[in-house]
Amino acid sequence: MLASVDVRRVAPLAGLALGLFFGLARPAAAEPERRWPLWPTEIDYAAAALRDDAATESQRQSALDALDAYATPLVEPYILTALRDDSPQLRRDALQACDRRRLKSCVDDARRLWLAPQSELSNRLYALRVLLLDPTAAHVDLLLAALREPAELLRIEAARLLGITALGPEEARRVRAALVAKLADPAPEVRRAVARALGLLSASEATLVLARMLEDPDPQVRRDAAESLGMIGDPRALPAILRALDRGDEAYVARTLLEGLSLQRGEEVDRRLLAYLDAAPRGVTSKHVAEAIGARERPSAALLDGLVLRLREASIRDEVLSTLLHLGDAAVPAIEAALDRGVEPEVAIELERLLRARRLPEEPPPTGERTPGAEDRRGWHRRLDRDRGDRLSAAAELGELAPPWLVPAIDRALAAGDDAVAERPWLVALATARAPVQGDRRMWANVVTRAEDRRRSAGDRCLAVAALGRMPQRFAADFGAPLMTLAGAAKASVRGCVALALSGADAAGAVTLVGLLDDPSPRVRASAALALGRLRKKVRLPIAARLRLRELEDRDGRVRTAARHSGEPVRVDGPGRARLLLAEEPATPGWIAAEGARGPLLLPSQRFGRTAWALVPDDSLRARGDEPVHDDDAESDEWLE
């Protein structure tokens, strides 16, 4: 409706009415990322040039720029007006504003600008993005046609958008087929964009074509093809990956091939990785091979035994020790068996050290110990020591206090090295901090690195993901919205942690949560249901029906219970803030029994040693000691973990 209104005539009244309405509705809490006017006519003054026929292009441009600070409902009519301006620059900036604010009312104008014969390249580029705010079959057809445009930039952008847009099964099939055909594009940058899109879509039908692209003349195309094959995980790609590794390549290509190999399953992969550890192919080192082995989700007994045997080789001992540490609990049986058989004294010392790093203290915390004051830094560092069995709960207590020295301490702890065990309590404190968290770019870069590191255990990645939920919006552009990227992680446990970290998110986060609500894993669906109940009412209302559908019809009882618990929205202290729940040896592996406002439920959990834990967005939840909780129709998702 807004598109058909003469803004210059109604804007003063609209500004007055909307300004008064949102002023009464506590606007700062409703949309914290945008400024709301201090007086009703403030926006009218800012946008005056857009209503003035005599205004110059520079004046109209300044007016549009000034509106960027204001809330979307108040400036939407002016953005629509700018889409029809005579200035190509103004139209482009208006399209960018439509994309940033996710304005579906811009779609008709975007279609017009895309189809206009004389439209500028930049306008057509941004029009594509706006079109997919409403991904109908007709708009998907326009993007598929854009894959054949003469302009290389348009073909690249069309491929990128097709790879990140949620589509129905039939549309997704058409898109995958069209992208596979475009792998033969003459432009290397287009082939790269298409390869990345097929990886994001997990297009198994592209496996053999992507495997042939490992011989592409452009090394960057080879690298992107290798990365996509790793994301797809089709075993048919294994022979081509092995041939490419044996042939050798540029360092960045060979490392990507190695990462893709580590994601493949089977003992043949383990055997080849051990062989590469002994004699690394061209482009990688033994350290890179050791890192790839550390990323194996299900290492075979032969692989673990082979690693222990190679501890005798001093030249690669440090790399092998680091790999065994990253493999975590999976490596413990092989280490214990080697110690039982007897090994050289220097090797035994290192193996015992690895076992100590995996064993959390089992004794309860000392009784009667005084809780340190908020400013007692030394006291809190003692409580977070790696030998303490209660260090995670202590970290949550510290996050509740959120003293001024907490964020600098977290920054120093993450910058000190790559010790996942030592970093755990600091990430918990960051995720549970009551006060808003700022920090600097270095700290958040370290958190992103840990969340994306596939060599780490799922539990350690989930701690970093929970901490990412506190990242201020101003850093999101620096790291390319990492939570949105991690929502497509291969591990279901990581996707579930992303869902919980998006609690209290904005509209873009809500779209991601809706997608996770249809995930194959019940752990992810339950996490998304819990997070959706914590969205602001304005964001939550349009998707409440999807949550209700999960409550009534999900095939897993644990998901239905989680959706029922989220039936009534609750106040959220701040986006991403989490509460820590702990349990000892839960009766249901991967789930913690809890009590909520609507009765008992099971929460997806992680585990360190004997301690199961979950970081959840709702302080009304309490862990139960009297398991089991009724989990009717529960399905197994072990294969997804």
Side-chain angles (χ1 to χ4, degrees), residues 383-425:
R383 287 206 65 188
L384 302 184
D385 186 82
R386 66 190 303 145
D387 292 329
R388 293 285 300 251
D390 63 338
R391 59 204 298 257
L392 293 186
S393 58
E397 293 178 31
L398 179 59
E400 187 70 22
L401 292 174
W405 56 267
L406 176 60
V407 172
I410 294 171
D411 187 15
R412 287 193 297 273
L414 297 180
D418 191 17
D419 186 344
V421 177
E423 293 165 2
R424 286 171 186 170

Short mmCIF file of all heavy atoms in Angstrom, two decimals, residues 383-425:
data_model
loop_
_atom_site.label_atom_id
_atom_site.label_comp_id
_atom_site.label_asym_id
_atom_site.label_seq_id
_atom_site.Cartn_x
_atom_site.Cartn_y
_atom_site.Cartn_z
N ARG A 383 39.23 -19.63 41.17
CA ARG A 383 38.01 -20.42 41.01
C ARG A 383 37.85 -20.95 39.59
O ARG A 383 37.16 -21.95 39.37
CB ARG A 383 36.78 -19.59 41.37
CG ARG A 383 36.62 -19.35 42.86
CD ARG A 383 35.19 -19.13 43.23
NE ARG A 383 34.36 -20.31 42.99
CZ ARG A 383 33.03 -20.31 43.09
NH1 ARG A 383 32.39 -19.21 43.40
NH2 ARG A 383 32.35 -21.41 42.86
N LEU A 384 38.46 -20.29 38.62
CA LEU A 384 38.36 -20.73 37.23
C LEU A 384 39.55 -21.58 36.80
O LEU A 384 39.69 -21.90 35.62
CB LEU A 384 38.25 -19.51 36.29
CG LEU A 384 37.08 -18.56 36.53
CD1 LEU A 384 37.04 -17.48 35.47
CD2 LEU A 384 35.76 -19.29 36.59
N ASP A 385 40.37 -21.98 37.76
CA ASP A 385 41.54 -22.80 37.44
C ASP A 385 41.12 -24.12 36.81
O ASP A 385 40.09 -24.70 37.17
CB ASP A 385 42.35 -23.06 38.71
CG ASP A 385 43.66 -23.78 38.43
OD1 ASP A 385 44.63 -23.12 38.04
OD2 ASP A 385 43.67 -25.03 38.57
N ARG A 386 41.94 -24.65 35.90
CA ARG A 386 41.58 -25.85 35.15
C ARG A 386 41.45 -27.09 36.02
O ARG A 386 40.88 -28.10 35.61
CB ARG A 386 42.59 -26.10 34.03
CG ARG A 386 43.98 -26.45 34.50
CD ARG A 386 44.96 -26.43 33.32
NE ARG A 386 44.55 -27.33 32.29
CZ ARG A 386 44.72 -27.12 30.98
NH1 ARG A 386 45.27 -26.00 30.58
NH2 ARG A 386 44.34 -28.00 30.09
N ASP A 387 42.00 -27.08 37.25
CA ASP A 387 41.90 -28.25 38.12
C ASP A 387 40.64 -28.23 38.97
O ASP A 387 40.41 -29.17 39.74
CB ASP A 387 43.13 -28.33 39.04
CG ASP A 387 44.40 -28.64 38.25
OD1 ASP A 387 44.28 -29.34 37.22
OD2 ASP A 387 45.48 -28.19 38.65
N ARG A 388 39.83 -27.20 38.86
CA ARG A 388 38.61 -27.10 39.66
C ARG A 388 37.45 -27.80 38.96
O ARG A 388 37.19 -27.58 37.78
CB ARG A 388 38.24 -25.64 39.91
CG ARG A 388 39.21 -24.87 40.78
CD ARG A 388 39.03 -25.28 42.22
NE ARG A 388 37.69 -25.01 42.66
CZ ARG A 388 37.36 -24.05 43.53
NH1 ARG A 388 38.31 -23.29 44.05
NH2 ARG A 388 36.12 -23.87 43.91
N GLY A 389 36.73 -28.63 39.70
CA GLY A 389 35.59 -29.32 39.12
C GLY A 389 34.37 -28.43 38.95
O GLY A 389 33.46 -28.75 38.19
N ASP A 390 34.33 -27.30 39.70
CA ASP A 390 33.15 -26.41 39.64
C ASP A 390 33.44 -25.15 38.84
O ASP A 390 32.76 -24.14 39.01
CB ASP A 390 32.72 -26.03 41.06
CG ASP A 390 33.80 -25.24 41.79
OD1 ASP A 390 34.99 -25.34 41.40
OD2 ASP A 390 33.47 -24.52 42.75
N ARG A 391 34.42 -25.20 37.96
CA ARG A 391 34.85 -23.98 37.27
C ARG A 391 33.79 -23.43 36.32
O ARG A 391 33.67 -22.21 36.14
CB ARG A 391 36.16 -24.25 36.51
CG ARG A 391 36.07 -25.35 35.47
CD ARG A 391 37.45 -25.97 35.19
NE ARG A 391 38.38 -25.04 34.64
CZ ARG A 391 38.72 -24.98 33.35
NH1 ARG A 391 38.15 -25.81 32.47
NH2 ARG A 391 39.60 -24.11 32.92
N LEU A 392 32.96 -24.29 35.69
CA LEU A 392 31.93 -23.77 34.79
C LEU A 392 30.84 -23.04 35.55
O LEU A 392 30.38 -21.97 35.13
CB LEU A 392 31.34 -24.92 33.97
CG LEU A 392 32.26 -25.61 32.96
CD1 LEU A 392 31.49 -26.61 32.13
CD2 LEU A 392 32.96 -24.60 32.06
N SER A 393 30.39 -23.60 36.67
CA SER A 393 29.37 -22.90 37.46
C SER A 393 29.94 -21.61 38.04
O SER A 393 29.23 -20.60 38.14
CB SER A 393 28.85 -23.82 38.57
OG SER A 393 29.90 -24.26 39.40
N ALA A 394 31.23 -21.62 38.43
CA ALA A 394 31.86 -20.40 38.93
C ALA A 394 31.90 -19.34 37.82
O ALA A 394 31.69 -18.15 38.07
CB ALA A 394 33.27 -20.70 39.43
N ALA A 395 32.17 -19.78 36.58
CA ALA A 395 32.20 -18.83 35.46
C ALA A 395 30.84 -18.19 35.25
O ALA A 395 30.74 -17.00 34.93
CB ALA A 395 32.65 -19.55 34.20
N ALA A 396 29.76 -18.97 35.41
CA ALA A 396 28.41 -18.40 35.27
C ALA A 396 28.14 -17.38 36.38
O ALA A 396 27.48 -16.36 36.15
CB ALA A 396 27.38 -19.52 35.29
N GLU A 397 28.64 -17.66 37.59
CA GLU A 397 28.49 -16.68 38.68
C GLU A 397 29.23 -15.39 38.34
O GLU A 397 28.73 -14.29 38.59
CB GLU A 397 29.04 -17.27 39.98
CG GLU A 397 28.24 -18.44 40.53
CD GLU A 397 28.88 -18.99 41.79
OE1 GLU A 397 29.50 -18.20 42.53
OE2 GLU A 397 28.79 -20.20 42.03
N LEU A 398 30.43 -15.53 37.78
CA LEU A 398 31.19 -14.34 37.39
C LEU A 398 30.47 -13.57 36.29
O LEU A 398 30.44 -12.33 36.29
CB LEU A 398 32.58 -14.77 36.92
CG LEU A 398 33.53 -13.66 36.45
CD1 LEU A 398 33.75 -12.64 37.57
CD2 LEU A 398 34.85 -14.24 35.98
N GLY A 399 29.88 -14.28 35.33
CA GLY A 399 29.12 -13.60 34.28
C GLY A 399 27.93 -12.84 34.85
O GLY A 399 27.58 -11.76 34.36
N GLU A 400 27.31 -13.38 35.89
CA GLU A 400 26.19 -12.67 36.53
C GLU A 400 26.66 -11.37 37.17
O GLU A 400 25.96 -10.35 37.13
CB GLU A 400 25.56 -13.58 37.59
CG GLU A 400 24.30 -13.05 38.22
CD GLU A 400 23.12 -13.04 37.26
OE1 GLU A 400 23.14 -13.80 36.27
OE2 GLU A 400 22.19 -12.25 37.50
N LEU A 401 27.88 -11.37 37.74
CA LEU A 401 28.42 -10.15 38.34
C LEU A 401 28.88 -9.16 37.28
O LEU A 401 28.72 -7.95 37.43
CB LEU A 401 29.59 -10.49 39.26
CG LEU A 401 29.25 -11.28 40.54
CD1 LEU A 401 30.52 -11.66 41.27
CD2 LEU A 401 28.34 -10.46 41.45
N ALA A 402 29.49 -9.68 36.20
CA ALA A 402 29.98 -8.86 35.08
C ALA A 402 30.78 -7.65 35.55
O ALA A 402 30.44 -6.51 35.24
CB ALA A 402 28.81 -8.41 34.19
N PRO A 403 31.88 -7.88 36.31
CA PRO A 403 32.70 -6.73 36.75
C PRO A 403 33.38 -6.06 35.57
O PRO A 403 33.54 -6.67 34.50
CB PRO A 403 33.73 -7.39 37.68
CG PRO A 403 33.82 -8.80 37.21
CD PRO A 403 32.45 -9.17 36.74
N PRO A 404 33.82 -4.80 35.71
CA PRO A 404 34.44 -4.09 34.58
C PRO A 404 35.68 -4.77 34.02
O PRO A 404 36.00 -4.59 32.85
CB PRO A 404 34.78 -2.71 35.19
CG PRO A 404 33.85 -2.56 36.35
CD PRO A 404 33.65 -3.94 36.90
N TRP A 405 36.38 -5.56 34.84
CA TRP A 405 37.61 -6.19 34.37
C TRP A 405 37.36 -7.49 33.61
O TRP A 405 38.31 -8.09 33.07
CB TRP A 405 38.55 -6.49 35.56
CG TRP A 405 37.93 -7.35 36.63
CD1 TRP A 405 37.30 -6.93 37.75
CD2 TRP A 405 37.89 -8.78 36.66
NE1 TRP A 405 36.88 -7.99 38.51
CE2 TRP A 405 37.23 -9.15 37.87
CE3 TRP A 405 38.35 -9.79 35.84
CZ2 TRP A 405 37.01 -10.47 38.22
CZ3 TRP A 405 38.14 -11.11 36.18
CH2 TRP A 405 37.48 -11.44 37.36
N LEU A 406 36.08 -7.93 33.51
CA LEU A 406 35.80 -9.25 32.92
C LEU A 406 36.17 -9.31 31.44
O LEU A 406 36.87 -10.23 30.99
CB LEU A 406 34.33 -9.60 33.11
CG LEU A 406 33.88 -10.92 32.45
CD1 LEU A 406 34.68 -12.10 33.01
CD2 LEU A 406 32.38 -11.15 32.67
N VAL A 407 35.70 -8.34 30.65
CA VAL A 407 35.95 -8.40 29.21
C VAL A 407 37.44 -8.32 28.88
O VAL A 407 37.94 -9.11 28.07
CB VAL A 407 35.14 -7.31 28.48
CG1 VAL A 407 35.55 -7.23 27.01
CG2 VAL A 407 33.65 -7.60 28.58
N PRO A 408 38.23 -7.40 29.50
CA PRO A 408 39.68 -7.44 29.25
C PRO A 408 40.32 -8.77 29.64
O PRO A 408 41.24 -9.25 28.96
CB PRO A 408 40.22 -6.29 30.12
CG PRO A 408 39.07 -5.36 30.27
CD PRO A 408 37.86 -6.22 30.31
N ALA A 409 39.83 -9.39 30.72
CA ALA A 409 40.38 -10.69 31.12
C ALA A 409 40.05 -11.77 30.08
O ALA A 409 40.89 -12.63 29.78
CB ALA A 409 39.83 -11.08 32.49
N ILE A 410 38.84 -11.74 29.54
CA ILE A 410 38.47 -12.69 28.49
C ILE A 410 39.35 -12.48 27.27
O ILE A 410 39.85 -13.43 26.65
CB ILE A 410 36.98 -12.53 28.13
CG1 ILE A 410 36.10 -12.95 29.31
CG2 ILE A 410 36.63 -13.37 26.90
CD1 ILE A 410 34.64 -12.61 29.12
N ASP A 411 39.57 -11.22 26.91
CA ASP A 411 40.42 -10.90 25.76
C ASP A 411 41.81 -11.47 25.95
O ASP A 411 42.37 -12.11 25.04
CB ASP A 411 40.48 -9.37 25.60
CG ASP A 411 41.21 -8.95 24.33
OD1 ASP A 411 41.40 -9.80 23.44
OD2 ASP A 411 41.57 -7.77 24.22
N ARG A 412 42.39 -11.30 27.14
CA ARG A 412 43.75 -11.82 27.39
C ARG A 412 43.76 -13.35 27.36
O ARG A 412 44.70 -13.96 26.83
CB ARG A 412 44.25 -11.32 28.74
CG ARG A 412 44.64 -9.85 28.76
CD ARG A 412 45.40 -9.51 30.01
NE ARG A 412 44.61 -9.69 31.21
CZ ARG A 412 43.80 -8.78 31.74
NH1 ARG A 412 43.71 -7.58 31.15
NH2 ARG A 412 43.11 -9.01 32.83
N ALA A 413 42.72 -13.97 27.92
CA ALA A 413 42.69 -15.44 27.95
C ALA A 413 42.61 -16.02 26.54
O ALA A 413 43.26 -17.03 26.24
CB ALA A 413 41.49 -15.91 28.78
N LEU A 414 41.83 -15.40 25.65
CA LEU A 414 41.69 -15.91 24.29
C LEU A 414 42.91 -15.60 23.44
O LEU A 414 43.22 -16.33 22.50
CB LEU A 414 40.44 -15.33 23.64
CG LEU A 414 39.11 -15.70 24.29
CD1 LEU A 414 37.95 -15.06 23.52
CD2 LEU A 414 38.92 -17.21 24.35
N ALA A 415 43.61 -14.50 23.76
CA ALA A 415 44.80 -14.12 22.98
C ALA A 415 46.04 -14.88 23.42
O ALA A 415 47.05 -14.88 22.71
CB ALA A 415 45.05 -12.62 23.10
N ALA A 416 45.96 -15.56 24.59
CA ALA A 416 47.15 -16.20 25.15
C ALA A 416 47.59 -17.41 24.36
O ALA A 416 48.76 -17.79 24.38
CB ALA A 416 46.90 -16.59 26.61
N GLY A 417 46.69 -18.09 23.69
CA GLY A 417 47.05 -19.29 22.95
C GLY A 417 45.84 -20.02 22.47
O GLY A 417 44.78 -19.43 22.25
N ASP A 418 45.99 -21.34 22.34
CA ASP A 418 44.91 -22.17 21.80
C ASP A 418 44.68 -23.36 22.73
O ASP A 418 44.79 -24.51 22.33
CB ASP A 418 45.27 -22.63 20.38
CG ASP A 418 44.08 -23.28 19.67
OD1 ASP A 418 42.95 -23.08 20.14
OD2 ASP A 418 44.29 -24.00 18.68
N ASP A 419 44.39 -23.06 24.00
CA ASP A 419 44.16 -24.09 25.01
C ASP A 419 42.67 -24.14 25.30
O ASP A 419 42.15 -23.35 26.08
CB ASP A 419 44.96 -23.76 26.27
CG ASP A 419 44.89 -24.88 27.31
OD1 ASP A 419 44.01 -25.75 27.18
OD2 ASP A 419 45.70 -24.86 28.25
N ALA A 420 41.96 -25.07 24.65
CA ALA A 420 40.50 -25.10 24.75
C ALA A 420 40.05 -25.31 26.19
O ALA A 420 39.06 -24.72 26.64
CB ALA A 420 39.94 -26.21 23.86
N VAL A 421 40.77 -26.15 26.96
CA VAL A 421 40.36 -26.44 28.34
C VAL A 421 40.46 -25.18 29.19
O VAL A 421 39.57 -24.88 29.99
CB VAL A 421 41.22 -27.58 28.92
CG1 VAL A 421 40.84 -27.84 30.37
CG2 VAL A 421 41.06 -28.85 28.10
N ALA A 422 41.55 -24.42 29.04
CA ALA A 422 41.73 -23.21 29.84
C ALA A 422 40.74 -22.12 29.46
O ALA A 422 40.37 -21.29 30.29
CB ALA A 422 43.16 -22.70 29.68
N GLU A 423 40.28 -22.12 28.20
CA GLU A 423 39.40 -21.05 27.73
C GLU A 423 37.93 -21.28 28.08
O GLU A 423 37.12 -20.34 28.01
CB GLU A 423 39.53 -20.92 26.21
CG GLU A 423 40.89 -20.42 25.76
CD GLU A 423 41.12 -20.63 24.27
OE1 GLU A 423 40.20 -21.15 23.61
OE2 GLU A 423 42.21 -20.29 23.80
N ARG A 424 37.56 -22.50 28.43
CA ARG A 424 36.14 -22.82 28.64
C ARG A 424 35.43 -21.88 29.63
O ARG A 424 34.37 -21.33 29.31
CB ARG A 424 36.00 -24.27 29.08
CG ARG A 424 36.22 -25.27 27.96
CD ARG A 424 36.28 -26.70 28.48
NE ARG A 424 36.62 -27.63 27.41
CZ ARG A 424 36.94 -28.90 27.59
NH1 ARG A 424 36.96 -29.41 28.82
NH2 ARG A 424 37.24 -29.67 26.57
N PRO A 425 35.96 -21.68 30.85
CA PRO A 425 35.21 -20.83 31.78
C PRO A 425 35.09 -19.39 31.31
O PRO A 425 34.08 -18.73 31.59
CB PRO A 425 36.02 -20.93 33.08
CG PRO A 425 37.38 -21.37 32.67
CD PRO A 425 37.19 -22.23 31.47
#
